[in-house]
Amino acid sequence: MKILMISNDRGIVSADSDVQKRMVAYGKLVRELHIVLFSTKAHAVRGGRISENVFVYPTHSFSRLFFILDAIRIGKKIKAPSLITTQDPYETGVVGMHLARKHKTKFQAQLHTDIWSPYFLQSFLDRVRQFLAKKTLKKAHCIRVVSERIRRSLIERGYTAPIEVLPIFSDIESNMLRAEALKERKKTYPFPFTILMAGRLEKEKNYVLALSVLKEVREKGIDAGLVIAGKGSQKGTLTRKAHTLGIREHVRFVGHVDDMLPYFQNAHILLHTSWYEGYGLTLIEAASAGLPIVTTEVGIAGKLLSHGTHALLCKPGDSSCLTEQIAFVAEDKELGGNLAFNAKTRMKEHKITKREYLERIKEGWERCG
């Protein structure tokens, strides 16, 4: 097969990045893999060959407004693709839809976010993207989603293209082996009761709520602190909010972390406050590491991780519930231990090897193309 991929992940051109390694692995599944990459001139992205049969074509657009037109222009020059696959059903989806028509070939749209969550529409851009997704998903010949929750939402809305559920790959087995190797190390908790959060510092992750929850937990007499791993546009807002709430000394921002395992080991609980998720990779990684989880009911929570057995769940935005559930774990070590054990057992049942994952990627392309 000759695959034409439309992407906006500029990590593809970063040498030895996980994204680039993944693209190289995808290239080994097919005859050729051509990737049109959204980028501006200011990004100074270099294109070219990143492996024997994987080629990257940055758009070098004047601004983001020209990504779609420039990507279509470049994609038209790539001859006879067997299948076009897009990273999302929004801007890259529009490109894929047009190029499929031009090349008279099939088009796979990927959907990694629960765009029909009642909490998704938090900005004008979100509304535009939902509008675009409604159009492109109807034109897609096949759809890949990352959770059963998203698959059901598509079926309920009448989308008829074949839908495959294939989550984002996480090497659960390796994570568990590493966690076991670190098990006997002395733990160095940053706070007497350490709450850990991880992810992009963006509005949809609702870290502002987490700060309010921390304040409420402390008001219950629990000497808790919050460690936040990640970077994003909300860092300044969150820092100011922590000062306003009088809890700044109990909040630690550690920035982007490549290896979260030591943080999972040195925390008492993972808190996840997102308004919505497509999947929730952090939940998978924390569960694999044996860390008790309190989370909003998003992504895999409620399906793969059930309330009271594998994690403690609350409705998005419910600070009182999140505070109460954290207090339960803080005051009952046996409860936290049981949740962690059950979640880890669930992950063992859920694990998939990298080879199996790549085979499923290839099979999905072959079925669609």
Side-chain angles (χ1 to χ4, degrees), residues 3-17:
I3 301 295
L4 172 55
M5 179 182 292
I6 316 300
S7 177
N8 56 26
D9 192 337
R10 285 177 289 278
I12 288 171
V13 295
S14 297
D16 296 323
S17 68

Side-chain angles (χ1 to χ4, degrees), residues 188-203:
T188 53
Y189 297 112
F191 302 102
F193 184 78
T194 301
I195 303 168
L196 176 65
M197 299 188 73
R200 294 176 297 107
L201 307 187
E202 303 298 343
K203 285 184 178 180

